[in-house]
Amino acid sequence: MQRIKIKELLIADPKNVIGNEYLVKGWVRTRRESKNISFIALNDGSTINHLQIVVDHSKFDEDFLKKITTGSAIGVKGEILESPAPKQPIELHADDIELYGEAPADEYPLQKKGHSLEFLREIAHLRPRTNTFGAIFRIRHHLAYSIHKFFNDKGFYYFHTPIITTSDCEGAGEMFRVTTLDLYNIPLTSEGNIDFSQDFFGKETALTVSGQLEGELGALALGEIYTFGPTFRAENSNTTRHLAEFWMIEPEMAFYDIIDNMNLAEEFIKYLIKYLLEACYEDLGFLNNMYDKELLDRLHHVLDTPFERLTYTEAIEILQNSKQNFEFPIYWGVDLQSEHERFLVEKYFNKPVILTDYPKEIKAFYMKLNDDDKTVKAMDILVPRVGEIIGGSQREDNYDKLFQRIKENHVPMKDVWWYLETRKFGSAPHSGFGLGFERFMLFVTGMGNIRDVIPFPRTPKNIEF
Ligand code: 4AD
Ligand code: MG
């Protein structure tokens, strides 16, 4: 008999499945016993909902049934009947049970519900089996799929940028080295420097912090591209919003100015929320009930509200006039802290905010200089509870100005000569942005810690396996 997924059974019209025989396979979430009957809640990962399995003890060996405990993996064949229980329309009455894997009750750590998220982080190998993480990882899948769908439907090409690279796109020097040199016996040049010519690539290499610079090469040929891959930052930020390994989506578009860029980003965010509200309504509903009672309202609100657009300079004025007691002082030129961002988004505007035209000193070298020579065509998108989820800009497309910015920022020419060359040959106005995948996951799931929206989080001093 062919196995059927539990989701399929539960979404079917009960009339069409009642009275039929089915085979289901999954993991036992709970087992409740009354006199001669057991009720097993079976979950196979296809949905947050469990299928109730009714086991008549007289049909099975007693010692065999003892092994079917919370966490064990089983296959069950039987007839679907109408359920007398009010919460579920159907249940499966077991005729035949196969036990694939036991989960000894004295050792299996997920015996009861309600473990803390901190505890579950320590058992990253088992936490996908909880309701919470099942929901989160299903949402993660649907989010990734909807991102590809959004761009594909718009005619963007998925452009693969390298993971191992020689250039530091953001210029922050927060890169993880990639090397095959023997760390116990590092070869040196006659001047006493590390001799990278003996390294695997013959050059100093690292894991990428962003695919943008290479993405621009794609956009300046294919028109509209996006990247979607892992990025790595060795910044020592132990916060609820920073990972050392995270995923980023970076669209890059030829002939887009900063306004086109903002319009695309806003449309993108709304598209993804709308998609998830439909595709994941059960999982989102679960998270709304369990963790964040305002989650669904917040998502609907964001969907229905035009984002507030203002310049960095205007934001500084609002913050200065706010009479708030910020920990970090506010003045023109300062990099905004999350307390400032959250004040703007959550208290002042109560909606997502797009901040533009930041001082050039606090932004990367590639952003297009404004006519004032002081600010650049940057745009950051800030959302409630999370802060910055998108960073982007119009790119400097003028050869001389870009050359100047590279020098001012002390970016080694050997690392970016190829990037500069695109401003010599067929340069064109273009723009792009980067969406932090896990930051967006925080926003759409209502979870409070970025470690809980990626299966295997990497943060300073923390890597499980
Ligand atoms: O603002 P960032 O640093 O921008 C870039 O990397 C540009 N090259 C993007 C572009 O224009 N193509 O990073 C973009 C986004 C941030 O807004 C944030 O959402 C996320 O990436 N991000 C992180 N997410 C998790 N952990 C970290 N350590 C992150 N650093 C950035
Ligand atoms: Mg940023």
Side-chain angles (χ1 to χ4, degrees), residues 168-324:
D168 181 358
C169 169
E170 294 304 301
E174 292 165 337
M175 303 183 87
F176 287 99
R177 285 180 181 287
V178 173
T179 182
T180 54
L181 291 180
D182 179 359
L183 294 183
Y184 296 97
N185 185 18
I186 297 173
L188 299 179
T189 62
S190 51
E191 295 95 60
N193 297 321
I194 297 173
D195 184 6
F196 286 107
S197 73
Q198 294 191 43
D199 205 347
F200 187 89
F201 296 104
K203 280 185 185 167
E204 192 174 355
T205 52
L207 296 177
T208 188
V209 297
S210 158
Q212 177 197 323
L213 301 189
E214 296 92 345
E216 286 186 45
L217 311 182
L220 290 172
L222 298 167
E224 292 161 336
I225 63 95
Y226 68 105
T227 73
F228 188 172
T231 45
F232 307 86
R233 295 194 184 178
E235 56 186 326
N236 200 2
S237 304
N238 234 321
T239 78
T240 54
R241 300 175 309 124
H242 287 88
L243 289 166
E245 176 180 306
F246 62 100
W247 289 65
M248 211 197 315
I249 299 92
E250 297 184 273
E252 192 69 36
M253 298 75 64
F255 314 113
Y256 274 50
D257 65 13
I258 179 107
I259 307 290
D260 302 324
N261 204 23
M262 287 191 268
N263 291 343
L264 180 76
E266 183 169 343
E267 182 191 344
F268 181 45
I269 288 177
K270 289 179 172 168
Y271 175 94
L272 300 179
I273 293 173
K274 188 157 187 277
Y275 186 94
L276 294 180
L277 281 170
E278 279 172 32
C280 307
Y281 70 97
E282 283 180 329
D283 288 327
L284 287 172
F286 171 82
L287 296 175
N288 186 84
N289 293 340
M290 298 297 291
Y291 292 98
D292 178 357
K293 295 268 189 294
E294 284 152 25
L295 174 64
L296 291 175
D297 286 346
R298 194 182 313 117
L299 294 178
H300 282 290
H301 172 67
V302 168
L303 207 52
D304 297 338
T305 316
F307 295 2
E308 187 70 31
R309 301 179 182 196
L310 74 160
T311 65
Y312 168 91
T313 304
E314 290 165 333
I316 291 290
E317 272 164 29
I318 292 172
L319 291 166
Q320 277 172 335
N321 295 333
S322 70
K323 305 202 174 70
Q324 296 285 307

Side-chain angles (χ1 to χ4, degrees), residues 394-431:
Q394 186 168 339
R395 315 308 188 190
E396 185 56 79
D397 54 328
N398 177 285
Y399 184 95
D400 295 326
K401 287 186 180 168
L402 183 60
F403 185 82
Q404 188 57 30
R405 294 280 292 144
I406 287 173
K407 277 179 53 184
E408 277 168 21
N409 283 275
H410 308 291
V411 183
M413 198 53 78
K414 71 170 175 36
D415 292 347
V416 291
W417 61 270
W418 47 273
Y419 182 73
L420 189 60
E421 197 153 278
T422 57
R423 276 56 170 177
K424 194 149 91 187
F425 307 128
S427 187
H430 63 288
S431 301

Side-chain angles (χ1 to χ4, degrees), residues 117-129 133 137 451 454-458 462-465:
L117 294 171
E118 290 78 11
F119 170 74
L120 293 175
R121 256 173 243 148
E122 288 166 18
I123 49 166
H125 59 304
L126 294 173
R127 71 175 182 170
R129 297 196 199 178
F133 286 93
F137 298 144
R451 293 166 181 79
I454 185 167
F456 307 104
R458 277 85 177 87
N462 169 49
I463 185 156
E464 275 291 302
F465 38 78

Side-chain angles (χ1 to χ4, degrees), residues 170 233 363 380 388 390-392:
E170 294 304 301
R233 295 194 184 178
K363 288 292 181 188
D380 277 10
E388 178 193 337
I390 278 183

